[in-house]
Amino acid sequence: MNELVNHMEEINRLMARYGVKFGIYKNGEFHEQLFPFDPLPRVITADEFDYLERGLAQRVDALNAFLADIYSDKKIVKDGVIPEDFIFSSKGYLPQCEGIVPPKKIYSHISGIDLVQGKDRNWYILEDNLRIPSGASYPMIARSLTRQASPAAFSTNHIVDNRNYADMLKAVMETVNTGGINVVLTPGRYNAAFFEHSYLAEQSDSILAMPQDLFVENNKLYYRRYDGKDEQVGAVYRRLSDEYLDPLCFLPESLIGVPGIMDVYRSGNVALVNAPGNGVADDKGIYYFVPHMVKYYLGEEAILHNAPTYLAFYEKDRKFILDHLERLVVKDVSEAGGYGVIFGSDLTKEKLNELAQIIRDEPRRFIAQEVIDFIDLDIVEGDEWVPRKADLRAFVLTGETTKVWPSGLTRFSRNPDSFVVNSSQGGGFKDTWVLSR
């Protein structure tokens, strides 16, 4: 471990050299910054990972079943498990996706599930990311660099090799491919996760394509090569948001979409990874119902549990939230990246009253959760090891079967007083070691 610490600056320098960065738009300007890497890994035992693997696969299978249902028969609504107006008022629900059945009936091919481990040692799901979850590339390249810096650490510890993520991704794309090449579609150089787009394309033997490289002809999607020749595309791992994907279907002012791609998708002539419309399933309000989905679709009790959550939409829960606002964390269901997260304990009485009125006026907009005192992990700060809050983004890939990548993105807060770990909020990341025995 000391050898890894000794190489910390070198590894971060190499990451900067390789462009391992993420971008942030702030005040109308684009800024790139490094995602600071800490060499002390998070270690997950084989037994613990087996438990997480079963729980995560179960959850993602239920979420895929929900998406298939909600864009077709809507049985879960008809049976009163989830209120109808709660579904259709979600910003993630897209009526343009009604009736579309994607190849192999898979909606969320790559799911990023965020968890924390409480000091009671139990794991809690914080949120599900089923649209374009990012972050797998960071532990991939970190593992590669740390293996070079300290081969002994990996020969003396029984660590599952995490370098198979690209193969898992490729296998998923091949499973749903409708005939043609695999493409990673990036909106371009100024996207926050452009490094990841290019890295995953290279590692998975896919073509990195800009929107202008793709076009529709005779209800099929084609990629125009540098030599002017056209190749049919069978699967697109798209890394741009739903609303910008096709200006003929969603936002007409989108300059980064591919006109007509949704018609090709609707006809079954191309696979889109992940499926448009998935946002209805990772709405923070819908999160409240996921354990019910597991029971409804799979006939099983949920293995992994949500953080204790209250839905302002329900009068009883809303009253509880308003009565205990000072000790809860309130989340705006339409925000992401650590934004829209408000800790009641941080607010003055005046601000608490203002928040309470907003919740009364817009109850569908908010959930509230008990604050989970999740574990600290040591990070290197100067010459010291200091504890900081950390979460885990697990990556679950669904193709022929649903599999959990034996690794993940461990993010930590660099602020000793903060529970928010997102990179956009100044956090860093660690490698995640899953032990093989």
Side-chain angles (χ1 to χ4, degrees), residues 1-8 10-11 39 146 148-153:
M1 212 63 81
N2 285 332
E3 190 175 352
L4 287 174
V5 173
N6 292 338
H7 286 87
M8 176 177 170
E10 176 192 348
I11 292 168
T146 52
Q148 294 174 38
S150 179

Side-chain angles (χ1 to χ4, degrees), residues 261-404:
I261 193 173
M262 282 297 293
D263 286 335
V264 182
Y265 172 59
R266 188 178 290 107
S267 301
N269 292 336
V270 73
L272 296 181
V273 178
N274 283 336
N278 279 8
V280 69
D282 68 12
D283 180 305
K284 289 184 178 68
I286 296 294
Y287 158 95
Y288 176 92
F289 297 99
V290 179
H292 302 283
M293 295 178 198
V294 173
K295 183 73 172 177
Y296 183 80
Y297 293 114
L298 308 182
E300 302 167 358
E301 296 297 329
I303 296 169
L304 290 169
H305 300 289
N306 287 359
T309 303
Y310 308 98
L311 209 59
F313 180 82
Y314 289 136
E315 184 178 353
K316 181 180 177 182
D317 281 16
R318 184 164 65 251
K319 184 178 187 307
F320 181 90
I321 292 169
L322 296 174
D323 289 345
H324 300 87
L325 198 53
E326 71 284 350
R327 69 172 176 83
L328 298 172
V329 55
V330 176
K331 296 182 178 181
D332 188 323
V333 302
S334 62
E335 295 281 2
Y339 296 100
V341 177
I342 305 167
F343 286 83
S345 58
D346 292 341
L347 301 182
T348 63
K349 187 172 183 179
E350 181 183 0
K351 291 295 183 182
L352 280 170
N353 290 335
E354 289 178 8
L355 178 59
Q357 189 56 52
I358 296 172
I359 292 172
R360 291 188 191 98
D361 293 341
E362 302 178 72
R364 172 62 178 83
R365 181 179 162 188
F366 298 98
I367 63 169
Q369 294 176 325
E370 301 286 352
V371 178
I372 295 175
D373 189 9
F374 52 98
I375 65 170
D376 300 295
L377 297 178
D378 282 340
I379 70 165
V380 178
E381 195 170 87
D383 296 327
E384 298 182 304
W385 293 14
V386 295
R388 294 290 185 268
K389 297 298 180 190
D391 78 348
L392 172 67
R393 173 165 290 182
F395 290 90
V396 186
L397 283 76
T398 304
E400 293 292 348
T401 59
T402 299
K403 298 179 180 179
V404 181

Side-chain angles (χ1 to χ4, degrees), residues 399-424:
E400 293 292 348
T401 59
T402 299
K403 298 179 180 179
V404 181
W405 183 39
S407 185
L409 177 65
T410 292
R411 301 173 296 185
F412 62 86
S413 172
R414 291 193 289 169
N415 180 345
D417 301 317
S418 177
F419 282 68
V420 180
V421 300
N422 302 70
S423 56
S424 56

